[in-house]
Amino acid sequence: MDGVAQLQKQLVDYTASLFQEGFLDEQFNQLQQLQDESNPDFVVEVVSLFFEDSERLLNELAKALEQKTIDFRKVDAHVHQFKGSSSSIGAQRVQKVCIAFRNYCEEQNIEGCLKCLQQVKHEYSLVKSKLETLFKIEKQLIAAGGSIPT
Amino acid sequence: MADETHPGSCECSPTRSTPMGTPLRKVLDRISGFATPWRSSSALRGRRIFHRDVEREEFQYAATRCLSSYYSVFVARLAIMVMLAILIGLLTILTWHFTKIYTTKSLNSLAYGLRNELLQRPILRMWNILNSTSEITTAQVKLSEYVFRRYNKPDTQAEQVELYESMRDVTWALFASRKALNAITINYRNGFVQAFHRDHRSNNTFYIYSDLVNYSISASGSSYEINSLSSQQGWKDQSIHGNISAVWYQEPLDPITGEKTGKAKPIPPDDLINIAGLSEVPDGVASWHVAVSKYTDTPLLSAALPVWDPSNESIVAVVGVTTALYSVGQLMKELVEVHSGHIYLTSQEGYLLATSTNAPLLRNSTQGPKLMRAIDSDDEVIQMGATWLQRAYGNNFSQSHEVHAENARLGHEQYYIDSFFLKLKRLPLVGVIIIPRKNIMGKVDERAFKTLVILISASLCILFIGCICILILTNGVSKEMKLRAELISHLDARRRAEASSNYKSQFLANMSHELRTPMAAVIGLLDILICDDCLTNEQYATVTQIRKCSTALLRLLNNILDLSKVESGKLVLEDAEFDLGRELEGLVDMFSVQCINHNVETVLDLSDNMPKLVRGDSARVVQIFANLISNSLKFTSSGHVIIRGWCENSSSSIDIEKFPLDHKKSQPAHKIKFKQQGSHTKKACKKENKMILRFEVDDTGCGIDPSKWESVFESFEQADPSTTRTHGGTGLGLCIVRTLVNKMGGEIKVAKKDGPGTLMQLYLLLNAPADGTEQHYRVDFSKHSLVVLLALHGRMGRLIMSQWLHKSGVFTMEASEWNELTQILREFFCIRRSARNNGFDAQHSLSEPLNTQVLSIQDMRNPVFVIVVDIGLLDLSTDIWKEQINFLDIYFGKAKFAWMLNHDTSNAIKMELRRKGHILMVNMPLYKAKMIHILEAVIKERNVELQKKSSNALRTTKESNLHEYHEIDTTHFDVASSDDSDMPEMRSSNSICGSLDGEKRRERITKPCSSGYQNINNCLVELTRVYSKENYLTERDPCQVGHNSHDVQNEEPKCCTQASLSAEPQSENADCREQHLVSSCPTAQGNLYSSKAMNEQKSLEGLRILLAEDTPVLQRVATIMLEKMGATVIAVGDGLQAVDALNCKLSAEACERDCVCEDRNTRLQTENRDFPLYDLILMDCQMPKMDGYEATKIIRKSEAGTGLHTPIVALTAHAMSSDEAKCLEVGMDAYLTKPINYKLMVSTILSLTTRTAYVKRELTNQ
């Protein structure tokens, strides 16, 4: 059971680091609380939904910003959606960048938007890798027969 | 003169410019000052605005502006005045100058001429005198020469005498011809003297001659031969000596004839007259000199000429002529008399010769009279004139010098002095004329002075008046300026005030809304807390108190929100069909609870012509009346509150006919006025299918002072400020009422009322229902031959009810107290019995009015008696009521009893009544709909009775039991449905209320349950068709019994009903997953939901929620959250789907019954299609295809006709209030921000699904 305990510790530490570094916030905790026997994979499900949605949105955004005449309304709507979904899973840093992004959108600042898009992409990939790591550890833990500490 | 004025005017401008200099400087100061205050004030302003000290700053600003405008006006005035002064001064000076200068010049030249003339004349006279003197002298000389030639060389005495004689004659002739002559003298060589002398004073003429005796011819002859020089010397000596020694004789003569008139008398020589001697003519030419005489007071002018002998070698005699200058003086006097002034003549040496005055010209000295100098003259003027001339020009007059002085000041007066030099041989003369300036220029000077004075005074007057005019004119201008400045500042202030009021109302709207949401949460949480079992009694009481306070606060917030909504024009009235009568009945029911506590009777008196259904905003109409009624109740401590209503749509004759009796009596005047007012609106309304509904709320409270009739409708205004303490309230109620009424196209006012209290009159403009069929309350019971005995406590209610019943063809009798009731009953039934037995004879004991009634009743065949008894008639304080009920038992079989219960009537009484078989029980107050229900029940019962005469007694009672339930629940149904929008909340609150402790909240349970019962009631009707009646009753019986064993209090039939009903659907729902919901069955009570956690976990149990959210992540999260709390969630991706989901609920229902049938409410829903499919919609605001706002609008529009109102909660990432306002504007009820806060969401949903129900309950509890 040493491995399990180690894994558990690793998981707790990792989660704590994610919170500390500001990748995640309280909302993620709420998500975890919502997960129970009836929805055992709720968090994974939601997060993967988020990934799918985010990738789609990022593509759309990239496409929209490549256009010669940029439809800022459309960009704004996308960012808004992105912001909503990221805040729902508690991806705090993505959400913050989204807020800045929207401000640039309102100003119709193309350079700012492009910069923000890069930032968003960066933050998104960061949070994605972090979450994937987290889930990997969880999976390992469950595979090892341990329970996820709450 | 001209010289004088110019310096004057020149002087004028500098003197004026000095006072003008100061205003000029002031103006400059002002101008520069203008800029500085403005600049400084604006700077100040900018600074001060941060201090929010706007008012004070405003004040200062206005003050400086005022001051500056005042200054500018002042300066303008001053400038105009100065200009006017200059103008008028110049005019004056010019006028004066021209008039003065020209007259002066012309007068001067005239005066000069005059003076010249005046002077010329005496001089001419003088000249004449001189001339004539010289002429006479010459003539005398010539004659003498002639005589001498004739008597050349007289040798004898005789010849000598002859010569003298002829000389005398010749001389006389000359003397007589010249009257002006004073004397002619001839002095012969030998010393003989002949002279004629005329004394002007005595008018005597004398001949003076020397004694001839002394003169020898020889002597004289010898003397002739002496050479000229020596002889002259000798002549002279001799004459002098001879004369002294000689004796002269004076002979008076007749002045005309020359004849001797008297004796000659001797006189001393040279005594009388001066005889010119040889000495006078030393060089043999004529000589002139001025002489004085002893006997005349005037100077004499004497001339002397020598008479040469024919050989012209020697002088033989000297002729002297003396003329008096008297005549010159005379002339001068005459002249001066006419012209005034003084004239005088002097010799060159300055001796006076003649003056125009009477002053003496001679001075008496020791040596006889001497000539006087002009300077020494006795006449003052002449003296002064001479002095002046001497001073000015010295003693020496040059020959041609003429003096013309115009302004010689002598003494105190000014004179003209002119002098002429008259050049005569040996006697140069100087003539001087002195004329007072006054005489010539006096008038002119006076006039000039007067003119000047008049001009100056006139110009001063004009200046003064001008200044005043300017003052007045500029005053007007300055006033206008001031007013304009004030106006501008007022406009400014008004704009600011309007803006601030706008901000205020917006702020209020936002604020109250912001406050409302947490308030709703507070109330919801309090309700949850109240449901908790663990509370002690004290805690429970406290929490209840908090809840009451919160509700009051919420109501206040709602009021403010309503008001600001209306003020900002955001309020949109719904247009839905509703039953106005039922709404009002519900209101009256609600308020009657309060009324009974207050000992006030609430009476609803709706005219029969009131339409049953109208279109409008039911909630707002109810709000209007709720406010009015609560207001009336607040101020009425005893008496009644009557709500009258009638429709104006029908013709006036019907109107009056149907009008309640007492109203017709007391208010005809108002009604007419009302009609006139609304007459034109009425016309307009008819076209648009609108109708005018008139209402009156009449109370017997403290009333409103007529002066406050208008102002009570202002916000925060109360008729009497002191009432706030006693009655509370914010003063917003009536304001809301008026704005709402106005919004509905109506009007409200306080009307005059006889007697105490207030009468509010209002009319509303409501649409008639679309289908056009008008349903009225009009019913006719006449064919049922009913007799109603109204034994009611309240007078007004009884009166109105009996009138209405009478109209509907029902016979009525009235009793207001127990004794009256018993009397009527006893007499009536006794008589009836006796009448049946003994015919009509036994009616004698009846009172007269009853008598006639009884008579008519007896005409009816088989009448049905209904006795409506107010429970208040019984004596409830003691146990007498039991006996009273027992007493009524006698009549039980003969009449139907309907009991009017108070809300606080104790269960014991109800039980007792029930035991006795009185099953018709309704709550106070009694209004038409209830009465109709009672009567219909009675009629139905009678029909049943008639049909089932063969049935056994038990059956009958059971049957009547059913009716009882029907009756009671009808009343509750009214309450529950009084607000259609309450329906879903009521129903959904079932689940919560089901968890409430029945004992504690009995009152609360009753209503929701009964409303639920209403739904099931329909179901029961269906059931009765399916199952046999027997079946149904038996099924219910055990339930009731079982329930009774549990709880004594719950023996009350209402709870029993609830139990049975709850059991019913449950039993049919075999696959009901949530077994604990059986909680509504009392047996399960208290066992479940005891833990608070559980309660919260599943707090949304049973709710169906539609979630419209496009973000899949959020959709999933929210779904899980809601499902965790027990709600059923249907998620859609956008607004369009949400609308579709709502629209096709009917088709959805079918499938939902299969898939979501675990919800126990589904059954109820399927049974009552009026209920919305979803209890709540969570709506994201930003969604593709159709956003939340749009979707909400569509949903609200589709709901408009149905009276449904599904709560919609916005989900938005915008946390700003403007978004919230937008959400609310489109018709959403609340909003939540993303990310979703779990607790907030729960409380919001709870408050929305239960709020209205709570408020209602709260009112009832009061």
Side-chain angles (χ1 to χ4, degrees):
Chain A
M1 289 310 268
D2 261 4
V4 173
Q6 206 182 350
L7 272 174
Q8 271 185 347
K9 193 175 178 295
Q10 199 185 342
L11 182 63
V12 170
D13 287 347
Y14 192 71
T15 315
S17 76
L18 283 184
F19 275 96
Q20 243 164 21
E21 287 163 34
F23 286 108
L24 298 175
D25 63 8
E26 197 54 35
Q27 196 66 26
F28 190 74
N29 272 347
Q30 280 201 13
L31 275 186
Q32 283 182 325
Q33 278 165 17
L34 284 170
Q35 178 169 298
D36 58 11
E37 298 78 31
S38 54
N39 305 301
D41 289 329
F42 177 65
V43 177
V44 179
E45 181 195 337
V46 170
V47 170
S48 49
L49 260 175
F50 168 66
F51 289 159
E52 278 170 32
D53 194 38
S54 301
E55 251 137 59
R56 181 183 61 83
L57 281 170
L58 284 173
N59 278 337
E60 295 261 334
L61 273 175
K63 225 186 278 171
L65 284 172
E66 273 167 17
Q67 302 286 320
K68 272 182 189 164
T69 51
I70 297 171
D71 186 356
F72 279 101
R73 234 167 10 146
K74 201 168 146 195
V75 175
D76 189 56
H78 287 317
V79 177
H80 178 64
Q81 220 170 349
F82 195 30
K83 184 184 132 205
S85 56
S86 59
S87 71
S88 297
I89 66 148
Q92 205 179 356
R93 282 165 66 155
V94 179
Q95 189 196 347
K96 276 177 188 161
V97 178
C98 280
I99 292 169
F101 202 155
R102 287 200 72 190
N103 285 339
Y104 282 123
C105 264
E106 266 172 42
E107 290 167 22
Q108 308 219 331
N109 184 344
I110 300 171
E111 279 179 36
C113 284
L114 287 170
K115 203 176 79 190
C116 275
L117 181 64
Q118 291 311 311
Q119 277 183 3
V120 166
K121 273 185 177 169
H122 177 67
E123 288 293 340
Y124 166 69
S125 56
L126 266 178
V127 85
K128 190 182 174 186
S129 64
K130 299 271 179 190
L131 284 171
E132 273 169 351
T133 317
L134 186 73
F135 292 145
K136 211 184 277 170
I137 296 168
E138 278 184 3
K139 235 179 231 170
Q140 281 176 3
L141 182 63
I142 289 161
S147 60
I148 297 165
T150 48
Chain B
M1 273 301 137
D3 286 348
E4 237 177 35
T5 50
H6 279 299
S9 64
C10 283
E11 218 182 340
C12 188
S13 50
T15 45
R16 294 253 165 95
S17 74
T18 17
M20 249 180 75
T22 28
L24 263 174
R25 224 174 301 125
K26 273 183 196 167
V27 172
L28 283 174
D29 285 349
R30 293 292 131 67
I31 289 164
S32 58
F34 264 125
T36 37
W38 267 83
R39 235 177 291 129
S40 63
S41 76
S42 62
L44 270 175
R45 206 173 158 194
R47 233 178 300 140
R48 290 236 177 127
I49 272 184
F50 294 110
H51 296 289
R52 314 284 291 171
D53 202 355
V54 183
E55 271 180 46
R56 210 176 117 203
E57 195 277 319
E58 182 87 353
F59 197 71
Q60 275 190 352
Y61 171 69
T64 48
R65 206 153 60 162
C66 203
L67 208 66
S68 66
S69 73
Y70 170 76
Y71 279 144
S72 67
V73 167
F74 178 75
V75 165
R77 260 185 217 171
L78 213 69
I80 294 169
M81 281 180 197
V82 166
M83 277 166 68
L84 188 77
I86 291 168
L87 198 72
I88 288 170
L90 278 175
L91 269 176
T92 314
I93 288 158
L94 277 176
T95 317
W96 187 72
H97 174 78
F98 283 115
T99 49
K100 171 93 182 177
I101 289 306
Y102 287 113
T103 43
T104 314
K105 262 189 185 165
S106 53
L107 274 175
N108 266 347
S109 56
L110 270 175
Y112 182 71
L114 177 72
R115 289 189 324 258
N116 248 356
E117 174 81 3
L118 279 177
L119 207 54
Q120 220 74 56
R121 280 165 71 181
I123 284 171
L124 259 179
R125 174 66 63 90
M126 195 72 179
W127 183 254
N128 279 344
I129 289 168
L130 285 175
N131 266 353
S132 62
T133 313
S134 76
E135 270 168 24
I136 287 163
T137 318
T138 316
Q140 181 66 35
V141 168
K142 292 298 172 202
L143 283 170
S144 307
E145 275 177 359
Y146 168 70
V147 171
F148 274 113
R149 224 175 293 138
R150 258 188 71 189
Y151 300 96
N152 203 7
K153 307 242 189 207
D155 300 320
T156 61
Q157 190 75 23
E159 275 178 356
Q160 193 81 18
V161 170
E162 206 176 327
L163 175 72
Y164 290 148
E165 282 298 321
S166 60
M167 272 305 279
R168 180 184 170 249
D169 290 340
V170 167
T171 309
W172 170 252
L174 262 178
F175 184 74
S177 68
R178 293 283 171 164
K179 298 281 185 218
L181 288 180
N182 188 263
I184 298 179
T185 60
I186 304 161
N187 195 0
Y188 294 93
R189 189 185 181 116
N190 56 8
F192 185 74
V193 171
Q194 271 182 316
F196 286 96
H197 171 68
R198 197 181 275 148
D199 189 352
H200 286 290
R201 282 180 298 189
S202 55
N203 210 15
N204 290 329
T205 312
F206 302 99
Y207 174 59
I208 297 164
Y209 59 96
S210 56
D211 188 12
L212 276 171
V213 180
N214 295 338
Y215 303 99
S216 63
I217 296 161
S218 57
S220 64
S222 62
S223 66
Y224 280 144
E225 277 137 38
I226 302 166
N227 65 27
S228 61
L229 276 171
S230 63
S231 70
Q232 270 175 18
Q233 190 60 48
W235 210 69
K236 192 179 167 185
D237 293 334
Q238 196 194 12
S239 71
I240 294 163
H241 296 289
N243 282 346
I244 295 163
S245 59
V247 177
W248 290 8
Y249 299 93
Q250 188 186 37
E251 226 177 47
L253 294 175
D254 185 87
I256 303 156
T257 57
E259 299 210 355
K260 234 192 270 183
T261 53
K263 282 201 172 171
K265 56 179 181 182
I267 51 162
D270 283 337
D271 182 46
L272 195 66
I273 51 163
N274 187 19
I275 305 293
L278 201 62
S279 59
E280 309 264 333
V281 279
D283 43 0
V285 293
S287 78
W288 298 88
H289 76 270
V290 176
V292 288
S293 142
K294 223 187 270 182
Y295 301 101
T296 55
D297 49 0
T298 55
L300 300 170
L301 183 69
S302 56
L305 264 180
V307 180
W308 298 90
D309 68 341
S311 56
N312 214 7
E313 284 162 357
S314 62
I315 297 163
V316 285
V318 174
V319 173
V321 177
T322 308
T323 317
L325 284 176
Y326 175 75
S327 62
V328 176
Q330 209 64 28
L331 180 70
M332 281 179 177
K333 270 178 199 164
E334 279 164 22
L335 282 176
V336 162
E337 260 170 35
V338 179
H339 294 286
S340 79
H342 303 269
I343 307 176
Y344 68 92
L345 281 173
T346 59
S347 61
Q348 198 172 9
E349 290 80 29
Y351 291 105
L352 271 178
L353 297 181
T355 66
S356 58
T357 60
N358 289 323
L361 297 170
L362 303 176
R363 186 173 49 185
N364 282 317
S365 64
T366 44
Q367 287 105 22
K370 275 193 177 169
L371 274 175
M372 201 186 251
R373 289 178 78 93
I375 307 165
D376 305 322
S377 164
D378 287 349
D379 192 276
E380 214 176 325
V381 177
I382 291 169
Q383 188 211 333
M384 283 192 296
T387 322
W388 187 84
L389 272 174
Q390 198 180 23
R391 202 168 53 235
Y393 300 101
N395 278 325
N396 301 318
F397 290 98
S398 58
Q399 296 271 307
S400 60
H401 196 81
E402 285 189 5
V403 176
H404 299 290
E406 279 175 329
N407 267 331
R409 190 161 185 88
L410 309 176
H412 302 292
E413 284 188 271
Q414 286 200 316
Y415 292 89
Y416 286 106
I417 296 178
D418 298 82
S419 74
F420 295 90
F421 188 73
L422 187 66
K423 195 182 165 194
L424 287 176
K425 204 163 80 187
R426 303 208 174 181
L427 187 68
L429 288 175
V430 175
V432 174
I433 180 165
I434 301 172
I435 297 176
R437 187 194 156 86
K438 190 172 67 184
N439 282 22
I440 297 164
M441 299 300 286
K443 290 275 175 184
V444 176
D445 278 341
E446 202 184 336
R447 279 284 153 78
F449 181 70
K450 276 182 187 167
T451 315
L452 191 64
V453 166
I454 288 168
L455 272 175
I456 288 172
S457 51
S459 58
L460 279 178
C461 279
I462 290 170
L463 191 68
F464 183 67
I465 291 165
C467 284
I468 287 173
C469 284
I470 288 165
L471 213 67
I472 290 164
L473 280 174
T474 50
N475 219 27
V477 172
S478 75
K479 257 181 199 166
E480 200 186 308
M481 274 169 72
K482 260 182 220 167
L483 281 177
R484 205 169 290 171
E486 245 170 78
L487 194 74
I488 288 166
S489 65
H490 281 180
L491 279 177
D492 222 37
R494 207 184 73 182
R495 209 173 45 227
R496 230 168 278 189
E498 271 169 4
S500 79
S501 129
N502 213 8
Y503 288 141
K504 196 186 75 190
S505 54
Q506 219 143 35
F507 168 77
L508 271 179
N510 283 344
M511 268 308 291
S512 52
H513 187 269
E514 293 289 333
L515 290 170
R516 206 157 62 142
T517 318
M519 275 312 293
V522 166
I523 291 171
L525 292 171
L526 280 171
D527 279 322
I528 294 169
L529 188 61
I530 286 169
C531 298
D532 198 335
D533 273 343
C534 306
L535 295 175
T536 65
N537 273 345
E538 286 81 24
Q539 282 170 334
Y540 179 76
T542 317
V543 172
T544 315
Q545 199 62 42
I546 295 170
R547 197 177 176 296
K548 271 184 187 169
C549 296
S550 315
T551 321
L553 186 56
L554 185 65
R555 214 179 307 150
L556 174 62
L557 289 175
N558 283 338
N559 278 350
I560 293 173
L561 188 62
D562 283 344
L563 202 60
S564 44
K565 248 189 196 170
V566 176
E567 272 177 3
S568 57
K570 277 182 188 165
L571 182 86
V572 181
L573 290 175
E574 269 182 43
D575 186 25
E577 224 164 79
F578 68 99
D579 185 339
L580 181 63
R582 184 172 285 182
E583 300 286 355
L584 290 176
E585 281 160 11
L587 261 181
V588 170
D589 271 333
M590 208 162 74
F591 281 109
S592 67
V593 181
Q594 265 180 301
C595 290
I596 290 161
N597 288 351
H598 271 117
N599 195 19
V600 176
E601 193 186 353
T602 315
V603 184
L604 181 67
D605 177 16
L606 296 178
S607 154
D608 277 341
N609 68 352
M610 282 285 279
K612 190 169 163 62
L613 287 175
V614 290
R615 290 179 68 86
D617 193 329
S618 62
R620 299 301 174 190
V621 172
V622 168
Q623 194 180 3
I624 288 170
F625 285 101
N627 276 338
L628 285 176
I629 296 168
S630 70
N631 203 56
S632 285
L633 285 176
K634 212 192 284 178
F635 296 105
T636 308
S637 51
S638 67
H640 56 259
V641 175
I642 303 176
I643 300 103
R644 295 194 195 91
W646 68 97
C647 183
E648 186 125 300
N649 224 1
S650 45
S651 70
S652 56
S653 59
I654 298 168
D655 209 353
I656 288 167
E657 186 205 322
K658 294 194 174 176
F659 213 71
L661 192 67
D662 64 326
H663 185 80
K664 206 163 48 179
K665 276 178 197 159
S666 60
Q667 309 291 343
H670 302 305
K671 224 178 84 177
I672 289 159
K673 246 188 258 166
F674 236 55
K675 253 183 211 152
Q676 283 169 346
Q677 226 174 35
S679 61
H680 65 279
T681 30
K682 196 170 140 186
K683 274 180 205 162
C685 302
K686 286 217 167 172
K687 284 178 203 159
E688 297 164 37
N689 198 23
K690 287 198 172 187
M691 50 194 160
I692 301 169
L693 298 177
R694 295 205 179 280
F695 296 94
E696 283 180 348
V697 179
D698 184 357
D699 67 48
T700 57
C702 57
I704 299 170
D705 188 85
S707 63
K708 297 262 178 118
W709 280 1
E710 262 308 305
S711 63
V712 285
F713 293 109
E714 307 291 325
S715 44
F716 298 106
E717 189 71 44
Q718 287 185 326
D720 181 3
S722 64
T723 52
T724 315
R725 279 195 298 279
T726 50
H727 302 289
T730 54
L732 281 175
L734 285 179
C735 182
I736 293 172
V737 166
R738 187 171 67 169
T739 44
L740 285 176
V741 168
N742 288 344
K743 191 100 181 162
M744 290 184 192
E747 254 179 55
I748 184 164
K749 62 174 184 184
V750 184
K752 203 166 165 291
K753 187 190 179 207
D754 304 326
T758 314
L759 179 67
M760 294 267 189
Q761 289 184 324
L762 68 147
Y763 70 90
L764 298 174
L765 227 58
L766 293 175
N767 286 323
D771 52 3
T773 53
E774 284 196 10
Q775 291 172 280
H776 291 303
Y777 277 122
R778 199 78 201 264
V779 281
D780 196 10
F781 291 109
S782 54
K783 63 173 186 284
H784 297 292
S785 59
L786 291 166
V787 177
V788 176
L789 173 57
L790 291 169
L792 295 172
H793 200 66
R795 196 180 65 85
M796 286 312 287
R798 199 178 61 228
L799 201 70
I800 288 165
M801 186 50 73
S802 80
Q803 274 165 0
W804 176 74
L805 282 175
H806 204 73
K807 237 183 288 171
S808 309
V810 180
F811 285 98
T812 56
M813 287 179 284
E814 294 176 43
S816 63
E817 51 171 356
W818 177 253
N819 290 337
E820 212 176 324
L821 173 68
T822 50
Q823 194 197 344
I824 290 172
L825 282 176
R826 201 177 296 132
E827 288 180 357
F828 189 67
F829 282 100
C830 287
I831 287 158
R832 271 189 70 80
R833 204 181 299 129
S834 61
R836 257 183 218 151
N837 298 339
N838 310 329
F840 299 104
D841 309 330
Q843 289 172 13
H844 55 273
S845 62
L846 275 170
S847 56
E848 210 42 46
L850 208 59
N851 200 347
T852 50
Q853 279 185 336
V854 170
L855 268 176
S856 53
I857 288 163
Q858 275 164 352
D859 289 343
M860 286 189 264
R861 273 190 303 135
N862 202 8
V864 179
F865 293 97
V866 182
I867 304 170
V868 181
V869 189
D870 191 346
I871 202 83
L873 287 185
L874 305 182
D875 189 349
L876 299 173
S877 53
T878 56
D879 274 347
I880 299 171
W881 61 271
K882 278 184 183 165
E883 287 166 30
Q884 286 173 328
I885 292 173
N886 285 336
F887 170 79
L888 290 179
D889 271 351
I890 311 167
Y891 307 99
F892 186 69
K894 298 161 194 158
K896 301 291 175 199
F897 281 89
W899 289 90
M900 302 299 302
L901 302 181
N902 282 342
H903 72 289
D904 54 354
T905 308
S906 74
N907 277 321
I909 298 172
K910 288 178 191 166
M911 284 300 296
E912 180 68 22
L913 285 172
R914 189 165 313 287
R915 211 174 46 80
K916 296 280 182 191
H918 298 287
I919 30 83
L920 268 171
M921 286 188 237
V922 288
N923 267 352
M924 284 290 269
L926 185 64
Y927 44 76
K928 279 175 205 165
K930 277 184 190 170
M931 197 68 210
I932 290 168
H933 279 293
I934 291 172
L935 293 177
E936 276 173 351
V938 168
I939 291 163
K940 207 183 278 174
E941 193 185 346
R942 194 176 64 158
N943 292 342
V944 170
E945 263 177 46
L946 289 172
Q947 281 168 13
K948 301 189 177 182
K949 269 180 183 167
S950 56
S951 297
N952 59 34
L954 180 76
R955 277 285 289 270
T956 318
T957 50
K958 287 290 175 193
E959 197 64 45
S960 57
N961 255 347
L962 181 67
H963 282 292
E964 166 212 336
Y965 297 136
H966 176 78
E967 218 37 65
I968 290 162
D969 288 322
T970 308
T971 68
H972 284 294
F973 167 65
D974 287 343
V975 178
S977 63
S978 65
D979 192 345
D980 278 351
S981 60
D982 284 352
M983 291 283 277
E985 278 95 32
M986 291 278 201
R987 195 178 50 74
S988 58
S989 68
N990 262 349
S991 61
I992 295 162
C993 291
S995 69
L996 296 177
D997 188 308
E999 286 177 33
K1000 278 183 182 171
R1001 310 302 303 164
R1002 189 167 45 77
E1003 283 291 331
R1004 285 198 185 181
I1005 291 166
T1006 320
K1007 276 183 190 169
C1009 285
S1010 57
S1011 73
Y1013 171 71
Q1014 159 63 17
N1015 309 325
I1016 291 158
N1017 202 19
N1018 297 340
C1019 145
L1020 283 180
V1021 178
E1022 285 171 42
L1023 278 172
T1024 38
R1025 287 184 199 140
V1026 179
Y1027 305 108
S1028 76
K1029 247 175 202 168
E1030 251 88 351
N1031 257 349
Y1032 167 56
L1033 290 165
T1034 45
E1035 190 186 317
R1036 219 164 49 97
D1037 265 345
C1039 189
Q1040 190 174 4
V1041 171
H1043 174 69
N1044 284 350
S1045 64
H1046 265 285
D1047 194 332
V1048 184
Q1049 280 211 325
N1050 278 347
E1051 280 176 2
E1052 191 195 339
K1054 285 172 194 169
C1055 279
C1056 172
T1057 323
Q1058 177 204 350
S1060 66
L1061 291 170
S1062 309
E1064 240 254 305
Q1066 193 199 340
S1067 61
E1068 292 196 0
N1069 270 331
D1071 57 344
C1072 185
R1073 217 172 61 161
E1074 284 145 14
Q1075 288 296 325
H1076 47 260
L1077 258 183
V1078 190
S1079 70
S1080 40
C1081 181
T1083 44
Q1085 229 170 1
N1087 299 335
L1088 295 165
Y1089 288 160
S1090 53
S1091 100
K1092 201 177 173 181
M1094 264 302 261
N1095 202 353
E1096 207 173 74
Q1097 273 290 308
K1098 298 287 177 188
S1099 53
L1100 297 181
E1101 193 70 68
L1103 290 179
R1104 284 172 56 79
I1105 293 170
L1106 179 68
L1107 174 68
E1109 170 65 63
D1110 60 325
T1111 319
V1113 181
L1114 203 68
Q1115 197 182 48
R1116 189 76 191 108
V1117 172
T1119 309
I1120 293 294
M1121 273 187 187
L1122 292 169
E1123 278 178 354
K1124 280 239 161 198
M1125 285 180 281
T1128 313
V1129 182
I1130 293 96
V1132 290
D1134 57 52
L1136 210 58
Q1137 288 177 28
V1139 174
D1140 286 345
L1142 274 170
N1143 282 346
C1144 52
K1145 62 182 172 188
L1146 289 180
S1147 56
E1149 253 169 43
C1151 55
E1152 267 170 30
R1153 200 184 293 168
D1154 303 327
C1155 57
V1156 212
C1157 60
E1158 71 266 18
D1159 190 354
R1160 75 176 183 106
N1161 281 337
T1162 317
R1163 183 169 163 72
L1164 292 178
Q1165 276 171 358
T1166 48
E1167 275 160 8
N1168 189 345
R1169 304 199 161 185
D1170 273 351
F1171 285 117
L1173 194 57
Y1174 301 102
D1175 300 316
L1176 190 109
I1177 302 170
L1178 280 170
M1179 182 82 75
D1180 187 16
C1181 288
Q1182 284 200 338
M1183 283 185 292
K1185 287 180 189 168
M1186 184 188 282
D1187 66 8
Y1189 305 122
E1190 204 53 39
T1192 309
K1193 275 185 204 164
I1194 291 171
I1195 292 166
R1196 288 287 177 248
K1197 206 182 278 175
S1198 68
E1199 275 177 352
T1202 62
L1204 296 176
H1205 183 94
T1206 314
I1208 299 179
V1209 179
L1211 279 174
T1212 169
H1214 308 279
M1216 278 167 307
S1217 60
S1218 62
D1219 293 306
E1220 189 184 350
K1222 196 178 172 189
C1223 293
L1224 297 173
E1225 204 176 306
V1226 297
M1228 295 182 180
D1229 299 270
Y1231 92 132
L1232 290 169
T1233 50
K1234 290 187 212 170
I1236 297 164
N1237 184 315
Y1238 178 80
K1239 282 177 189 165
L1240 193 62
M1241 181 167 77
V1242 174
S1243 63
T1244 309
I1245 293 173
L1246 274 179
S1247 70
L1248 274 174
T1249 47
T1250 55
R1251 191 176 64 207
T1252 359
Y1254 283 142
V1255 174
K1256 201 127 223 171
R1257 238 180 284 155
E1258 184 60 44
L1259 279 170
T1260 331
N1261 285 346
Q1262 284 173 358

